[in-house]
Amino acid sequence: MQKIDDYIQRANHTLSNSDIIPLLQHIQEIYGYLPRVALEFVSKRIHVPVSRIYGVATFYSQFSFVPRGRYTVKVCVGTACHVRGADKINTKLEEVLGIKNGETTPDYNFTLKSVGCVGTCALGPIVVVGNSKKSETCCGGPVKPNRNVSLGDKFYGQVTPEKVQEILEPYRGSNNE
Amino acid sequence: MNKLRSSEDLRNLREHLRKNQEKERVSIVICGGTGCETFGGNDIYDTFHEILKEKGIVDTFQLKKTGCQGFCERGPLVVIQPTNIFYQKVKKADVQKIIDETLINKRVLENLLYTDIQTRKKITNRSEIPFYKKQLQLVLRYNGFIDPTSVSDYIAMGGYASLEKIFTEMGPSRVIEEITISGLRGRGGAGFPTGKKWEIVRNVPGDLKYLICNGDEGDPGAFMDRSILEGNPHQVLEGMIIGAYAIGCTKGYIYIRAEYPMAIECVQKAIDQTREIGILGQNILGKGFDFDIEIKKGAGAFVCGEETALIASIEGKRGMPRAKPPYPATSGLWGKPTCINNVETLANIPVILEKGASWFNTIGTEKSKGTKVFALAGNINNTGLVEVPMGTTLRELIFDIGGGIARGKKFKAVQTGGPSGGCIPEEFLDTPIDYESLQKVGSIMGSGGLVVVDDRTSMVEFARYFVNFSQDESCGKCVPCRIGTKRMLDLLDKIVSGNGTESDLNLLWDLGNTVKETSLCGLGQSAPNPVLSTLKYFRNEYEALINKSSSGDTPKEDKEKDAC
């Protein structure tokens, strides 16, 4: 909560309704999802009913209310990727990860999610893999950084079902430690 | 850099930067667009830097990373300037060869050149490649030449000269007049005359007005705005400052999708730089005009591209549209007069003011002036970003610039305008691209996404895909869109799975037209377009599915992929 509080303190004006979305984005960057307690905390701090905050959060597809895996694997299902076979990539990812789209692996390493166009249509089908949260802490303790991969989203273009395994490999590192 | 306190300061800085450039060395330009980066463009840049440093010649050449150069299909791209040698699909291992052969020995590496699809000839010069040759780049004119993170690059190319001009030679009303004469229309898709919009906002009484740049490019298959924001953010900022000056507003927002982290970063950097040198903020160029810009990140909702929904989103509400009037021009953000322009529209402004409205007027068709940026995607040879004059035909765009259909397949349809547009069959390929002509054939200009499909694609399944998207993104506020799109999807599911009847087709047609006529906002009003256009032009495919079911064939298994 300290981090959220710092963020609120740092804003050079009194936070109000219009700051809800940036605040939620900040919370999701910290936790990788929106924990209920964080929303209640924010509600008290900026004097906006939690029902309103919840209403805003549920509207936008960016926000998640359940913990996500360390890495989010996004399959683009935009038109261009669709006509180039994004559904085959999704099926393969589901098979390799052993989860359905929208779910998280039991070890909380991967969350599989389909997303609308990521704007790299020329290179479809696209898979984007990125850290679900920015800070490398989880459940109160620091997580060992995975040196194989950089922070931030990495784009993979012209993906074929055969390439799926190879794409996921570098992100598996932290599991075996 | 020092703060610029007058137009003269800006001119002096430009002179100074240009003088430095004259001495300029050979430059190695590496495309840093997301497309090329996906193929490892970053690695190529680092390798160049490493080897040049090793050889101790890092200062002999200028190494530059630019925004998207358009030809994403062929990435990573490396261009050697000023000779304009165009290398494509460059690998890390090629870097050493480029340095030894091309930079030092001045020899062209044949194997990295582009091969013309038709003539099978190798082409050395970038501007000779058919993909670039037929384009007219106004909005994208500096993409591929400047480093988007450097305001100096933009100024040296002549950037912010239009801003200087409006302060010294024109007043707000002259600016609006000029834009009106130019005939520029909104590039977000609807095509409202920009000059007129500015005039309305200017004339609404009130001292607090807002200008919003709409960068919520949610159409799947569209990446024009993203490439502009990533490749040349200053041109958009300049357009915004000019717009703000013309309509008399002091605060602006750029609304960018959260899915575009690189664009957000680039624009933020550009804002910081312009603030630092006094082109943005208080007392711009010492002219007593204040204007500042803030970025608002979207949170993943397609409907937020609609102006009233976008305003609701900035206000921190659920991004739902509301009935118009009142239009945002009179009552927009926090109830104040608000002008909303698309990224590409604003990027056109500095060009128009620099070259003059009468010059701009000569480009394009009678009612649609200037150029339009398109994102070519789908089953086409040359995917990427292109800019062509209005009036160019779809055939020229797809076959001459786009290089035709990939893998020797046959053209079936082109879909313009994303989920809001229609599918255009081969018989209309000679339609000139302008707002009215595209509407006539049942599609829309839209923001510029252009997805080509070949004969392997089922048009019924394709239409179902779009309705599924619109249904998913429907905000649920008005009934026709919320329930209508759902019922349309149910009908399409039924047809695709082989259980449809003839009367379902009629029902689908009626329902589509009802949703189109009665929905509250653009999303619902245009969501049926893919269905209506495919029903019109590809009815045989619907009928084939229906006949199949009535002749007693086993119904086709439907994939459950979109169940979520």
Side-chain angles (χ1 to χ4, degrees):
Chain A
M1 290 309 126
Q2 190 55 45
K3 278 187 185 157
I4 304 174
D5 207 40
D6 286 350
Y7 180 83
I8 296 173
Q9 299 271 352
R10 252 183 292 134
N12 49 9
H13 59 280
T14 324
L15 293 183
S16 62
N17 282 345
S18 64
D19 301 294
I20 294 177
I21 294 171
L23 247 171
L24 293 176
Q25 285 168 333
H26 187 71
I27 296 171
Q28 184 146 309
E29 270 176 19
I30 300 173
Y31 296 98
Y33 74 111
L34 301 178
R36 191 194 168 103
V37 281
L39 298 187
E40 284 165 354
F41 174 80
V42 166
S43 159
K44 283 198 189 102
R45 288 286 280 113
I46 67 170
H47 309 292
V48 172
V50 78
S51 59
R52 248 212 72 154
I53 296 177
Y54 187 74
V56 171
T58 49
F59 185 82
Y60 297 96
S61 64
Q62 189 190 5
F63 300 118
S64 166
F65 297 92
V66 287
R68 290 185 301 176
R70 186 164 177 209
Y71 302 107
T72 303
V73 181
K74 297 178 209 163
V75 197
C76 178
V77 292
T79 321
C81 291
H82 175 77
V83 299
R84 287 190 178 190
D87 52 336
K88 286 190 197 116
I89 307 299
N90 186 41
T91 314
K92 183 73 188 174
L93 277 165
E94 287 185 339
E95 186 195 311
V96 170
L97 294 172
I99 50 173
K100 286 262 165 229
N101 193 310
E103 293 177 352
T104 300
T105 52
D107 62 357
Y108 282 98
N109 199 43
F110 292 110
T111 295
L112 179 62
K113 195 180 163 196
S114 51
V115 290
C117 187
V118 294
T120 325
C121 313
L123 309 174
I126 298 281
V127 169
V128 185
V129 188
N131 274 49
S132 302
K133 50 187 166 224
K134 276 203 176 139
S135 58
E136 281 286 322
T137 55
C138 180
C139 320
V143 174
K144 261 192 206 163
N146 181 351
R147 293 191 195 289
N148 296 334
V149 291
S150 59
L151 224 62
D153 286 350
K154 183 142 174 57
F155 284 70
Y156 298 90
Q158 297 180 348
V159 178
T160 57
E162 294 75 42
K163 279 195 202 157
V164 162
Q165 196 63 270
E166 188 189 320
I167 290 171
L168 294 177
E169 211 42 55
Y171 301 93
R172 293 191 189 273
S174 55
N175 274 348
N176 311 329
E177 284 168 20
Chain B
M1 234 182 280
N2 288 334
K3 213 166 184 125
L4 307 170
R5 296 187 195 283
S6 66
S7 311
E8 208 182 350
D9 282 359
L10 177 61
R11 274 197 298 272
N12 290 340
L13 173 67
R14 187 176 298 119
E15 280 304 303
H16 171 75
L17 291 169
R18 278 190 180 159
K19 259 188 204 140
N20 272 355
Q21 267 195 349
E22 274 162 26
K23 295 181 251 164
E24 207 61 89
R25 311 135 287 186
V26 170
S27 14
I28 309 151
V29 180
I30 294 157
C31 179
T34 314
C36 286
E37 211 138 274
T38 306
F39 283 139
N42 240 343
D43 279 353
I44 305 283
Y45 181 88
D46 292 343
T47 316
F48 261 111
H49 189 78
E50 233 168 71
I51 300 181
L52 290 174
K53 211 171 159 191
E54 239 169 58
K55 291 189 180 256
I57 47 174
V58 77
D59 292 326
T60 323
F61 303 101
Q62 194 191 26
L63 192 58
K64 200 184 259 188
K65 190 150 59 164
T66 67
C68 181
Q69 304 205 8
F71 212 171
C72 311
E73 177 82 25
R74 297 273 146 187
L77 307 176
V78 174
V79 183
I80 312 296
Q81 299 286 16
T83 41
N84 225 2
I85 300 171
F86 183 85
Y87 288 145
Q88 41 107 48
K89 296 207 166 178
V90 177
K91 289 180 208 64
K92 239 169 125 174
D94 297 324
V95 173
Q96 182 80 49
K97 271 183 269 168
I98 295 178
I99 293 175
D100 290 344
E101 289 298 315
T102 310
L103 293 181
I104 298 173
N105 293 330
K106 311 267 177 236
R107 270 202 297 261
V108 175
L109 292 165
E110 291 274 326
N111 63 325
L112 294 177
L113 293 178
Y114 172 76
T115 312
D116 189 298
I117 300 171
Q118 260 108 42
T119 62
R120 313 300 308 164
K121 270 195 191 132
K122 299 261 183 197
I123 302 173
T124 314
N125 196 312
R126 180 187 189 259
S127 52
E128 294 292 313
I129 296 172
F131 180 81
Y132 289 109
K133 210 174 169 180
K134 295 224 166 175
Q135 294 191 45
L136 174 66
Q137 301 196 321
L138 306 182
V139 170
L140 301 176
R141 57 186 179 165
Y142 299 149
N143 269 46
F145 295 96
I146 63 167
D147 174 357
T149 60
S150 154
V151 65
S152 316
D153 262 25
Y154 182 65
I155 292 177
M157 289 297 263
Y160 291 111
S162 297
L163 182 70
E164 201 186 301
K165 195 169 166 186
I166 59 161
F167 286 135
T168 50
E169 297 169 26
M170 308 165 92
S173 45
R174 270 284 311 282
V175 173
I176 293 179
E177 208 185 299
E178 194 77 1
I179 299 299
T180 309
I181 297 171
S182 78
L184 177 68
R185 295 168 67 177
R187 296 292 192 247
F192 192 82
T194 308
K196 200 169 161 195
K197 193 186 257 182
W198 284 10
E199 200 179 345
I200 295 170
V201 182
R202 177 170 175 79
N203 291 337
V204 175
D207 42 359
L208 191 55
K209 292 174 188 174
Y210 295 102
L211 175 70
I212 299 172
C213 171
N214 185 350
D216 190 50
E217 184 176 55
D219 283 14
F223 50 94
M224 302 76 49
D225 293 351
R226 168 218 187 96
S227 303
I228 297 168
L229 292 171
E230 286 178 2
N232 188 2
H234 285 287
Q235 195 162 319
V236 180
L237 294 190
E238 187 176 1
M240 278 186 86
I241 305 168
I242 294 170
Y245 174 72
I247 60 181
C249 88
T250 52
K251 176 85 193 176
Y253 292 97
I254 304 188
Y255 190 93
I256 308 176
R257 292 175 79 199
E259 287 87 342
Y260 289 178
M262 202 165 128
I264 293 172
E265 208 184 303
C266 275
V267 174
Q268 189 58 56
K269 224 174 245 171
I271 290 176
D272 294 344
Q273 285 173 345
T274 38
R275 258 190 214 141
E276 196 190 315
I277 61 170
I279 287 180
L280 198 63
Q282 300 221 312
N283 197 13
I284 293 172
L285 289 178
K287 302 286 187 237
F289 170 63
D290 303 338
F291 180 64
D292 211 349
I293 300 173
E294 195 183 313
I295 295 180
K296 283 280 178 187
K297 275 194 276 180
F302 174 67
V303 69
C304 285
E306 200 280 340
E307 49 185 11
T308 55
L310 189 148
I311 288 173
S313 179
I314 294 183
E315 288 173 350
K317 296 179 191 149
R318 292 167 72 91
M320 289 180 169
R322 61 161 174 79
K324 292 185 276 191
Y327 289 93
T330 47
S331 175
L333 190 59
W334 293 299
K336 303 288 179 200
T338 304
C339 178
I340 302 185
N341 290 126
N342 166 269
V343 170
E344 194 185 329
T345 315
L346 289 164
N348 264 298
I349 303 290
V351 187
I352 295 172
L353 292 179
E354 184 194 313
K355 309 224 173 187
S358 43
W359 170 85
F360 190 80
N361 227 287
T362 58
I363 307 165
T365 64
E366 196 198 333
K367 286 184 175 166
S368 308
K369 300 293 182 194
T371 59
K372 179 78 193 83
V373 183
F374 285 98
L376 296 181
N379 308 125
I380 187 169
N381 269 318
N382 302 340
T383 53
L385 191 74
V386 299
E387 183 175 357
V388 291
M390 295 273 192
T392 305
T393 64
L394 286 165
R395 192 185 296 279
E396 286 173 285
L397 192 57
I398 296 165
F399 288 91
D400 296 349
I401 296 174
I405 309 306
R407 294 186 194 92
K409 299 282 177 193
K410 207 174 156 298
F411 173 88
K412 188 172 204 175
V414 54
Q415 214 267 352
T416 65
S420 325
C423 299
I424 303 170
E426 192 165 8
E427 57 194 284
F428 295 115
L429 269 183
D430 291 308
T431 305
I433 296 169
D434 63 53
Y435 295 95
E436 281 76 21
S437 304
L438 286 175
Q439 218 156 31
K440 238 183 258 164
V441 294
S443 188
I444 57 163
M445 172 80 86
S447 56
L450 212 140
V451 180
V452 177
V453 291
D454 63 27
D455 51 4
R456 289 173 303 172
T457 311
S458 150
M459 295 314 287
V460 185
E461 166 59 34
F462 198 47
R464 199 197 77 95
Y465 164 83
F466 284 113
V467 174
N468 184 53
F469 176 87
S470 300
Q471 201 275 318
D472 196 40
E473 292 293 342
S474 170
C475 78
K477 185 170 179 172
C478 74
V479 182
C481 180
R482 183 179 69 230
I483 299 175
T485 54
K486 177 73 185 139
R487 288 285 89 88
M488 280 168 73
L489 184 61
D490 290 346
L491 278 170
L492 284 162
D493 276 339
K494 193 177 160 195
I495 295 167
V496 169
S497 65
N499 298 316
T501 60
E502 186 67 34
S503 66
D504 286 336
L505 294 191
N506 297 333
L507 183 60
L508 194 58
W509 178 262
D510 287 346
L511 188 56
N513 280 306
T514 310
V515 172
K516 194 171 173 165
E517 274 161 37
T518 53
S519 290
L520 174 66
C521 83
L523 194 155
Q525 286 160 10
S526 59
N529 281 343
V531 178
L532 296 176
S533 62
T534 46
L535 264 176
K536 197 165 154 193
Y537 301 127
F538 298 95
R539 199 177 170 98
N540 57 335
E541 292 195 21
Y542 284 88
E543 279 164 354
L545 283 168
I546 284 164
N547 292 337
K548 213 170 163 185
S549 62
S550 53
S551 67
D553 283 358
T554 30
K556 207 175 114 196
E557 270 305 296
D558 186 25
K559 294 147 259 172
E560 49 175 350
K561 63 176 185 225
D562 288 310
C564 51

